[in-house]
Amino acid sequence: MHRHEGHDACPGDAVDMLARAESLCRERGLQFTPLRRDVLEVVAASGKAQGAYDIAERLSVPGKRVAPVSVYRALDFLMEQGLVHRIASRNAFIPCAHVHAPGEGVIFLICRTCGGVDEESSQDLESGLGRTLERAGFTPAHSILEVEGDCGLCRDRKQAS
Amino acid sequence: MHRHEGHDACPGDAVDMLARAESLCRERGLQFTPLRRDVLEVVAASGKAQGAYDIAERLSVPGKRVAPVSVYRALDFLMEQGLVHRIASRNAFIPCAHVHAPGEGVIFLICRTCGGVDEESSQDLESGLGRTLERAGFTPAHSILEVEGDCGLCRDRKQAS
DNA sequence: GGCGGCGGTGATACACTGTAACACTCGCGC
DNA sequence: GCGCGAGTGTTACAGTGTATCACCGCCGCC
């Protein structure tokens, strides 16, 4: 479902994700609480972007309900630490597949067939964007780039049928 | 508030916008109804991105209320015709400042100080994106690129103070 | 003229997404 | 013990978007 090409780091699965998060929090003197851990686990376990309410439902068991607001707080924390990203066009969240260089731009490739989200970064694209912004006299603070289409696997599957 | 550089067409103000919309609808055999006209006018008149509920409120007068759902339908139509764009990161809508080449990509520069939105297109950026997508084996259908930051005017204003 | 279809609109209700405010607990330092 | 701050639970609410049905006006057709 995912393609990760040309990355420096590609932790990929949920276990690595949790280990990485834990060491990162320890390093920064922050709390990696059970709730935050659970939320990250749900986000990391599914290959698709998860809505906050989906996560809340997933974490709820009969007798122990997790409110969406708690999920949002955990997600805010995880986003601040760069462990998850928000997909604006879907109102959904995905685990961060990279270890990012500071200020590095990211592109999200969202497959409209399988729902999988791939995360790419491109120096080429980045410099093109920089030139365009400079030409427009605009000082960027934060940018989002999301492309919807068909991933390689889904395209092949379509052609085969 | 706006900067439009390197464009082929830059209608800019609301009157031109309405005239363009009307001729475009006639050309395509579509109805440019009063509601659609009013919605487009509100979107075009303000330099900032407008929420659907803002537009609904703006169009409502005592005794004659316009429901948000009607606004959404008009906006859907206007977006299909390429007359307005949706800013995903703001859940808001802006008039389309370009006459687009088919399939051409667009960048939105959103000023976090004045709230103005500028619309740029860049062949340079476009080709960089194309190369990145190809490298990832991804077939794009639709992309959104939104940059938040400070526009030239607001930056200058800040430095002056 | 009657009649049916179709696009657009009005209206209500509802689902989904996100935030504000307050109370409570727990761990920690004093 | 006591205060304090971070994290969480809970309720309520604001904001965003969609589903559904009813109605109206127009046009073509018999």
Side-chain angles (χ1 to χ4, degrees):
Chain A
M1 180 173 344
H2 288 266
R3 310 279 295 275
H4 300 288
E5 299 162 7
H7 297 182
D8 294 342
C10 181
D13 73 69
V15 177
D16 283 356
M17 191 78 217
L18 293 176
R20 180 155 66 93
E22 187 165 3
S23 75
L24 182 147
C25 286
R26 199 164 36 230
E27 201 172 286
R28 297 180 186 172
L30 302 170
Q31 300 182 44
F32 192 51
T33 64
L35 178 62
R36 290 171 179 174
R37 188 194 163 287
D38 291 347
V39 169
L40 179 58
E41 186 171 21
V42 169
V43 173
S46 163
K48 315 202 302 184
Q50 296 286 307
Y53 279 65
D54 296 335
I55 298 169
E57 196 176 344
R58 198 78 143 49
L59 290 179
S60 293
V61 290
K64 175 67 181 172
R65 176 177 160 269
V66 175
V69 61
S70 297
V71 174
Y72 276 110
R73 284 190 288 227
L75 286 171
D76 285 344
F77 172 84
L78 295 170
M79 280 192 290
E80 274 170 24
Q81 304 313 316
L83 293 165
V84 310
H85 294 297
R86 179 186 158 77
I87 307 294
S89 60
R90 295 274 179 116
N91 295 324
F93 302 84
I94 59 164
C96 173
H98 290 71
V99 176
H100 292 283
E104 178 192 37
V106 178
I107 316 165
F108 297 112
L109 309 182
I110 306 161
C111 179
R112 56 184 170 181
T113 302
C114 70
V117 179
D118 183 17
E119 183 181 346
E120 292 282 339
S121 66
S122 159
Q123 194 51 52
D124 187 7
L125 184 57
E126 203 64 19
S127 61
L129 179 56
R131 280 193 298 276
T132 302
L133 294 177
E134 194 172 346
R135 191 150 28 88
F138 192 90
T139 306
H142 177 74
S143 68
I144 62 177
L145 177 40
E146 299 172 11
V147 183
E148 187 171 319
D150 294 304
C151 70
L153 270 63
C154 286
R155 195 170 6 121
D156 295 347
R157 204 154 26 224
K158 278 185 185 175
Q159 286 180 342
S161 64
Chain B
M1 179 175 342
H2 290 265
R3 309 279 295 275
H4 300 288
E5 300 162 5
H7 297 181
D8 294 340
C10 181
D13 72 69
V15 177
D16 284 355
M17 191 78 217
L18 293 176
R20 179 154 67 94
E22 188 165 1
S23 74
L24 182 147
C25 286
R26 198 165 35 229
E27 201 172 286
R28 297 181 185 172
L30 301 170
Q31 301 182 44
F32 192 52
T33 64
L35 177 62
R36 291 171 179 176
R37 188 195 163 286
D38 290 348
V39 169
L40 180 56
E41 187 171 21
V42 169
V43 173
S46 162
K48 314 202 302 184
Q50 298 285 307
Y53 280 65
D54 297 335
I55 298 170
E57 197 176 343
R58 199 77 142 52
L59 289 179
S60 293
V61 291
K64 174 67 182 172
R65 175 177 160 268
V66 176
V69 61
S70 298
V71 174
Y72 276 110
R73 283 191 290 229
L75 287 171
D76 286 343
F77 172 84
L78 295 170
M79 280 192 290
E80 273 170 23
Q81 304 312 317
L83 292 165
V84 310
H85 294 298
R86 179 187 159 78
I87 306 293
S89 60
R90 295 278 178 113
N91 295 323
F93 302 84
I94 59 163
C96 172
H98 289 69
V99 175
H100 293 284
E104 177 191 39
V106 178
I107 317 165
F108 298 112
L109 310 182
I110 307 160
C111 179
R112 56 183 170 182
T113 303
C114 70
V117 179
D118 184 15
E119 184 181 347
E120 294 281 339
S121 66
S122 160
Q123 193 52 52
D124 186 7
L125 184 56
E126 203 65 18
S127 61
L129 179 57
R131 279 193 297 277
T132 302
L133 293 177
E134 193 171 347
R135 190 150 28 88
F138 193 89
T139 306
H142 177 74
S143 68
I144 62 178
L145 176 40
E146 299 171 10
V147 183
E148 187 171 319
D150 295 305
C151 71
L153 271 63
C154 286
R155 197 170 5 123
D156 296 347
R157 206 157 23 227
K158 278 185 184 174
Q159 286 181 342
S161 64

